[in-house]
Amino acid sequence: MAPQREWFEKDYYKALGVSKTATDKEITRAYRKLAKQYHPDTNPGKEDQFKDVSAAYEVLGDPVKRKEYDDVRSMAGPSGFGGTSGAGGWGGGARAEDLGDLIGGLFNRSSRRSSGTRGPIRGSDLEVEAHIGFEDAVNGVTTTLNMVSDVTCQTCHGTGSAPGTSPVVCARCQGTGSVSDNQGFFSFSLPCPACGGRGTRIEKACPTCRGSGVESKNRQIRVKIPHGVEDGSRIRLKGKGSAGANGGPAGDLYVVIHVAPHKIFSRRGADLLLTVPVTFAEVALGTTLTVPTLDGQVSLRVPAGSKSGLTLRARSKGLPKVGKPNEVGDLLVTVEIEVPKHLSQEQRKAVEEFAQATTESPRKYLEVESNARK
Ligand SMILES: [Zn+2]
Ligand SMILES: [Zn+2]
């Protein structure tokens, strides 16, 4: 919140008719009463009073702004800055300048902190993609990633100055990194244009990094990918991102995992999924399926009369759970009835016989529906 010029000129306490020690409640009450009294909808011609009251409440009604306002006013002494007296006002050259410095000194406290480009700067976070096989995701794998990223320049160790030289204190800002720009009563703090806010200037740039202090390097990073990792997971490697500046810490590296699909399995969390085609005869009569797992086989009973889409569960034949190495997911086998595209003569005969022996239509309930409509 930047203080307003108005703050020096206007006594908001007076505008609301309250004392400087008024409580928040008293201020709100006074504002409500006056706002009603001057509201332009019901009191035409009172716009200015209404504005004054609103402006006063905008500051005094906010404890943070009120505190700033009080600070500003207390610098001016009990008589305020004399905004009402037309004679002196803000015109006096020397006095206004002194005041500008005084105010500038007060207000720059916060802006200088935020423009602190001179302090240590954390390196940026980086993201790299890793492609791993299905089994590697199941069992975990240690892999090496190749990447290009900014690292601290080896030649100058990050100073940006050629070897044997060192940065000099910036003459423009005397090493503070900021310059002030006086505009009327206010003084703004800006990053020094001569040194870019660093406070120092490089006289002879490092030939490797041309003064930036960082260089792009091919890096090889060993990453331990935990077992059970899923496609799309992000692994965070602390401090393996870009190098920091001015002694700041390095950023983090995020490794995005892409897991290649398996030939026959898919997965949902720690559960392994498998779809198995079966014939109509197998589900009609019931059968035992022998299906592969990640480390062998498992036999599952399909009961006679099973529906297409039935899912059978082979307990603990899935994947180890992330973070719980002793817990393993299940293998879920979904049976799907496959209808042959072509029938041999023998098959056709058998199916026709089956059809003749089938006296009841499975769509009987639909017939009931359409009869009812007639
Ligand atoms: Zn360098
Ligand atoms: Zn400078």
Side-chain angles (χ1 to χ4, degrees), residues 2 36 43 47 55 66 87 137 157 199 228-229 254 256 305 331 345 366 368:
K36 214 171 173 184
N43 304 280
E47 282 86 1
R66 183 183 175 187
H157 303 288
V229 74
Y254 289 89
V256 181
L331 169 64
Q345 232 171 18
L366 291 178
V368 172

Side-chain angles (χ1 to χ4, degrees), residues 153-162 205-215:
C153 174
Q154 298 293 296
T155 311
C156 63
H157 303 288
T159 64
S161 285
C206 164
T208 308
C209 63
R210 293 198 204 88
S212 68
V214 291
E215 58 176 328

Side-chain angles (χ1 to χ4, degrees), residues 118 169-179 191-201:
R118 295 168 61 223
V169 172
C170 174
R172 175 85 180 269
C173 63
Q174 310 288 330
T176 61
S178 57
V179 289
C192 171
C195 63
R198 281 184 301 274
T200 55
R201 262 180 356 98

Side-chain angles (χ1 to χ4, degrees), residues 134 137-138 227-231 265-274 294 313-332:
F134 191 90
V138 171
H227 66 77
V229 74
E230 280 186 68
D231 186 51
F265 295 115
S266 56
R267 60 181 286 194
R268 191 169 57 213
D271 289 336
L272 208 53
L273 311 178
L274 179 65
L294 284 175
R313 186 179 291 264
R315 293 223 175 267
S316 303
K317 294 289 180 187
L319 310 173
K321 289 186 181 170
V322 181
K324 296 174 190 163
N326 298 326
E327 289 182 38
V328 181
D330 301 333
L331 169 64
L332 302 175

Side-chain angles (χ1 to χ4, degrees), residues 18 105 121 132 181 193 236 256 326 329 362 372:
V18 294
I121 300 167
I132 60 170
D181 176 20
R236 176 170 171 250
V256 181
N326 298 326

Side-chain angles (χ1 to χ4, degrees), residues 13-35:
Y13 290 101
K14 208 169 160 188
L16 290 181
V18 294
S19 76
K20 286 192 173 62
T21 54
T23 63
D24 293 348
K25 248 189 191 160
E26 284 166 345
I27 287 171
T28 304
R29 206 183 303 136
Y31 163 70
R32 289 218 180 109
K33 195 176 144 227
L34 291 170

Side-chain angles (χ1 to χ4, degrees), residues 26-85:
E26 284 166 345
I27 287 171
T28 304
R29 206 183 303 136
Y31 163 70
R32 289 218 180 109
K33 195 176 144 227
L34 291 170
K36 214 171 173 184
Q37 197 175 322
Y38 295 134
H39 201 284
D41 288 354
T42 45
N43 304 280
K46 299 279 187 185
E47 282 86 1
D48 286 347
Q49 284 98 324
F50 183 72
K51 263 188 215 158
D52 285 347
V53 166
S54 300
Y57 184 66
E58 203 189 301
V59 173
L60 299 187
D62 178 328
V64 177
K65 284 186 199 170
R66 183 183 175 187
K67 171 87 177 57
E68 278 184 73
Y69 176 74
D70 287 346
D71 287 349
V72 165
R73 300 283 296 180
S74 69
M75 288 192 322
S79 57
F81 287 102
T84 47
S85 73

